[in-house]
Short mmCIF file of all heavy atoms in Angstrom, two decimals:
data_model
loop_
_atom_site.label_atom_id
_atom_site.label_comp_id
_atom_site.label_asym_id
_atom_site.label_seq_id
_atom_site.Cartn_x
_atom_site.Cartn_y
_atom_site.Cartn_z
N CYS A 38 -30.85 -28.90 121.25
CA CYS A 38 -30.47 -30.12 121.98
C CYS A 38 -31.54 -30.46 123.02
O CYS A 38 -31.92 -31.63 123.17
CB CYS A 38 -29.12 -29.93 122.67
SG CYS A 38 -27.72 -29.90 121.55
N LEU A 41 -34.48 -31.94 121.49
CA LEU A 41 -34.21 -33.31 121.06
C LEU A 41 -34.17 -34.30 122.23
O LEU A 41 -33.99 -35.49 122.03
CB LEU A 41 -32.86 -33.37 120.31
CG LEU A 41 -32.82 -32.68 118.95
CD1 LEU A 41 -31.38 -32.60 118.44
CD2 LEU A 41 -33.71 -33.42 117.96
N GLY A 42 -34.32 -33.79 123.44
CA GLY A 42 -34.31 -34.67 124.61
C GLY A 42 -32.98 -34.72 125.34
O GLY A 42 -32.80 -35.52 126.25
N ARG A 43 -32.04 -33.90 124.93
CA ARG A 43 -30.74 -33.82 125.61
C ARG A 43 -30.63 -32.41 126.20
O ARG A 43 -30.09 -31.50 125.57
CB ARG A 43 -29.61 -34.09 124.61
CG ARG A 43 -28.23 -34.14 125.24
CD ARG A 43 -28.07 -35.39 126.05
NE ARG A 43 -26.74 -35.47 126.62
CZ ARG A 43 -26.39 -36.38 127.49
NH1 ARG A 43 -27.25 -37.29 127.88
NH2 ARG A 43 -25.18 -36.40 127.98
N MET A 45 -29.71 -29.00 127.56
CA MET A 45 -28.43 -28.31 127.53
C MET A 45 -28.70 -26.81 127.62
O MET A 45 -29.66 -26.32 127.04
CB MET A 45 -27.68 -28.65 126.24
CG MET A 45 -26.23 -28.27 126.26
SD MET A 45 -25.33 -28.89 124.82
CE MET A 45 -25.47 -30.66 125.04
N ARG A 58 -15.73 -28.23 129.64
CA ARG A 58 -16.76 -29.24 129.90
C ARG A 58 -16.56 -30.37 128.92
O ARG A 58 -16.41 -30.15 127.72
CB ARG A 58 -18.14 -28.61 129.72
CG ARG A 58 -19.30 -29.57 129.89
CD ARG A 58 -20.62 -28.82 129.66
NE ARG A 58 -21.75 -29.71 129.79
CZ ARG A 58 -22.22 -30.45 128.79
NH1 ARG A 58 -21.68 -30.39 127.59
NH2 ARG A 58 -23.25 -31.24 128.98
N CYS A 60 -17.42 -33.30 126.48
CA CYS A 60 -18.52 -33.56 125.54
C CYS A 60 -18.62 -35.07 125.37
O CYS A 60 -17.79 -35.68 124.71
CB CYS A 60 -18.23 -32.87 124.21
SG CYS A 60 -19.51 -33.10 122.97
N ASP A 61 -19.65 -35.69 125.98
CA ASP A 61 -19.78 -37.13 125.84
C ASP A 61 -20.47 -37.46 124.51
O ASP A 61 -20.85 -36.56 123.76
CB ASP A 61 -20.48 -37.76 127.04
CG ASP A 61 -21.95 -37.43 127.17
OD1 ASP A 61 -22.57 -36.93 126.21
OD2 ASP A 61 -22.51 -37.68 128.25
N VAL A 62 -20.61 -38.72 124.22
CA VAL A 62 -21.15 -39.15 122.93
C VAL A 62 -22.58 -38.64 122.72
O VAL A 62 -22.93 -38.18 121.63
CB VAL A 62 -21.10 -40.69 122.80
CG1 VAL A 62 -21.80 -41.15 121.54
CG2 VAL A 62 -19.66 -41.17 122.82
N ASP A 63 -23.40 -38.70 123.77
CA ASP A 63 -24.77 -38.22 123.65
C ASP A 63 -24.81 -36.72 123.36
O ASP A 63 -25.61 -36.26 122.55
CB ASP A 63 -25.57 -38.55 124.91
CG ASP A 63 -25.77 -40.04 125.09
OD1 ASP A 63 -26.00 -40.74 124.09
OD2 ASP A 63 -25.69 -40.51 126.24
N ASP A 64 -23.94 -35.96 124.03
CA ASP A 64 -23.84 -34.53 123.75
C ASP A 64 -23.41 -34.30 122.30
O ASP A 64 -23.97 -33.46 121.60
CB ASP A 64 -22.82 -33.85 124.67
CG ASP A 64 -23.27 -33.75 126.11
OD1 ASP A 64 -24.47 -33.88 126.38
OD2 ASP A 64 -22.39 -33.52 126.97
N LEU A 65 -22.41 -35.05 121.86
CA LEU A 65 -21.87 -34.89 120.51
C LEU A 65 -22.96 -35.12 119.46
O LEU A 65 -23.11 -34.34 118.52
CB LEU A 65 -20.70 -35.83 120.28
CG LEU A 65 -20.03 -35.72 118.92
CD1 LEU A 65 -19.29 -34.40 118.78
CD2 LEU A 65 -19.07 -36.88 118.70
N VAL A 66 -23.74 -36.17 119.64
CA VAL A 66 -24.80 -36.50 118.68
C VAL A 66 -25.86 -35.40 118.68
O VAL A 66 -26.31 -34.96 117.61
CB VAL A 66 -25.41 -37.88 118.99
CG1 VAL A 66 -26.66 -38.14 118.17
CG2 VAL A 66 -24.37 -38.97 118.75
N ALA A 67 -26.26 -34.93 119.85
CA ALA A 67 -27.27 -33.88 119.93
C ALA A 67 -26.76 -32.56 119.34
O ALA A 67 -27.48 -31.90 118.58
CB ALA A 67 -27.70 -33.68 121.39
N ILE A 68 -25.54 -32.19 119.66
CA ILE A 68 -24.97 -30.95 119.13
C ILE A 68 -24.84 -31.04 117.61
O ILE A 68 -25.16 -30.08 116.90
CB ILE A 68 -23.62 -30.62 119.80
CG1 ILE A 68 -23.84 -30.25 121.28
CG2 ILE A 68 -22.89 -29.51 119.07
CD1 ILE A 68 -22.56 -30.16 122.11
N ALA A 69 -24.39 -32.17 117.12
CA ALA A 69 -24.28 -32.35 115.67
C ALA A 69 -25.64 -32.19 115.00
O ALA A 69 -25.75 -31.50 113.97
CB ALA A 69 -23.68 -33.72 115.35
N ALA A 70 -26.67 -32.79 115.57
CA ALA A 70 -28.02 -32.66 115.01
C ALA A 70 -28.47 -31.20 115.03
O ALA A 70 -29.06 -30.71 114.07
CB ALA A 70 -29.00 -33.54 115.78
N PRO A 76 -22.05 -36.33 113.44
CA PRO A 76 -21.14 -36.30 114.59
C PRO A 76 -19.67 -36.43 114.17
O PRO A 76 -18.80 -35.78 114.74
CB PRO A 76 -21.59 -37.49 115.44
CG PRO A 76 -23.02 -37.69 115.08
CD PRO A 76 -23.12 -37.33 113.62
#
Side-chain angles (χ1 to χ4, degrees):
C38 288
L41 291 170
R43 185 72 178 172
M45 195 172 296
R58 177 181 179 274
C60 181
D61 70 15
V62 173
D63 293 321
D64 289 342
L65 182 69
V66 170
I68 292 169

